[in-house]
Amino acid sequence: SQTIHQWPATLVQPVGSPLSLECTVEGTSNPNLYWYRQAAGRGLQLLFYSVGIGQISSEVPQNLSASRPQDRQFILSSKKLLLSDSGFYLCAWSGGTVSYNEQFFGPGTRLTVL
Amino acid sequence: QKEVEQNSGPLSVPEGAIASLNCTYSDRGSQSFFWYRQYSGKSPELIMFIYSNGDKEDGRFTAQLNKASQYVSLLIRDSQPSDSATYLCASRRGNTPLVFGKGTRLSVIA
C-alpha cells in the first residue's frame, strides 16, 4: 500500500528564520507531487507541483521554493519566513504506478511564524 | 480562471437525515471530480471520485455528476455526528493539478 509521510508535524519559527519541510511517498514510483498551504479558515492554495525529479512548477510567486531531489521526495523551503507564511502545509501525491487519477494528502505540517 | 464553487455553510442536518452537498465548476474540459472530507485540524481525506455522468454509490455516499450543468453533488445517507466536517469538492482536467473549492462545513445534529 502507499503511504505519504510529512515532517515535522508542528513547527514554531521566528520571522526571518529558514524553513525546510520534507515529504516522502512510499509504495509507488514516479508520482506527481504537490505542496499546498491552507491558512486558518481558508481554502487550499496550491504552491508547487512536480511531475518528475528536478521538475518543479510554481503556482504562486512568494518567498517559498520547492525541490525534488529524489523520485519520491519533495521538499519545501524558505530562506526567510514571513508572518504570512503561517498555515497548514500539506503534501499530496497522485499518479505513479499505482493510482491513476486520485490524489492523496499527507498528514500535514502546522507552521506558526512568530 | 478555473473555479470550483461551493456554499461555505454551515449546513446543518439532523442525525439520520440525508445531507446534500453541491458544487459547480467553470472548466468545461474537466474530466474527473473528487470529494474530500476534512476534519478540523486534519488533512483532507478522499471520499470518492466520479468521471461519468450519473450517480456513483459507495456505502452511505453517492456522488452525482451532471456535465451539461457543470454540477457535482455528494449525498450522505443516514448522516451521523461523525460526518460533521468540511467537505471539499475538486475538479481535474487530464493530469493537471486539482482545482479545489473552498469547502462546505457540515454539521450533523444528534
Side-chain angles (χ1 to χ4, degrees), chain A residues 32 34 36 38 42-44 46 49 51 59 88 90 94 100-108 110, chain B residues 31-32 34 36 38 40-46 49 51 88 92 94-98 100-102:
Chain A
N32 293 341
Y34 310 86
Y36 290 86
Q38 190 173 40
R42 305 288 295 276
L44 289 168
L46 178 64
Y49 70 96
V51 298
E59 290 294 302
F88 192 34
L90 292 156
S94 71
Y100 170 65
N101 214 6
E102 303 99 291
Q103 180 172 305
F104 301 95
F105 286 88
R110 190 160 304 281
Chain B
Q31 297 163 299
S32 51
F34 304 81
Y36 288 83
Q38 186 175 23
S40 181
K42 301 295 186 182
S43 64
E45 170 192 11
L46 179 65
F49 55 92
Y51 301 118
L88 303 172
R92 188 174 202 176
N95 198 30
T96 60
L98 267 64
F100 282 90
K102 288 182 166 48

Side-chain angles (χ1 to χ4, degrees), chain A residues 5-90:
Chain A
H5 301 280
Q6 282 188 249
W7 62 91
T10 59
L11 192 59
V12 179
Q13 292 284 95
V15 170
S17 63
L19 174 73
S20 181
L21 302 180
E22 189 164 342
C23 168
T24 58
V25 181
E26 295 177 357
T28 188
S29 297
N30 197 30
N32 293 341
L33 296 172
Y34 310 86
W35 278 112
Y36 290 86
R37 178 171 60 202
Q38 190 173 40
R42 305 288 295 276
L44 289 168
Q45 178 186 27
L46 178 64
L47 302 175
F48 302 94
Y49 70 96
S50 171
V51 298
I53 296 174
Q55 300 178 61
I56 309 293
S57 296
S58 173
E59 290 294 302
V60 182
Q62 55 208 331
N63 67 320
L64 299 173
S65 62
S67 62
R68 185 171 177 173
Q70 299 180 41
D71 181 44
R72 290 170 289 176
Q73 184 184 31
F74 206 20
I75 297 172
L76 182 70
S77 304
S78 174
K79 292 182 179 178
K80 286 186 178 182
L81 284 168
L82 308 173
L83 284 174
S84 58
D85 291 325
S86 292
F88 192 34
Y89 287 81
L90 292 156

Side-chain angles (χ1 to χ4, degrees), chain B residues 6 22 24 26 33 35-36 40 51-52 55-56 65-66 71 74 79 82 92-93:
Chain B
Q6 294 182 256
N22 308 310
T24 58
S26 64
F33 305 88
W35 282 101
Y36 288 83
S40 181
Y51 301 118
S52 304
D55 295 1
K56 179 181 178 182
L65 173 61
N66 184 325
Y71 180 88
L74 179 71
S79 296
S82 58
R92 188 174 202 176
R93 173 197 282 254

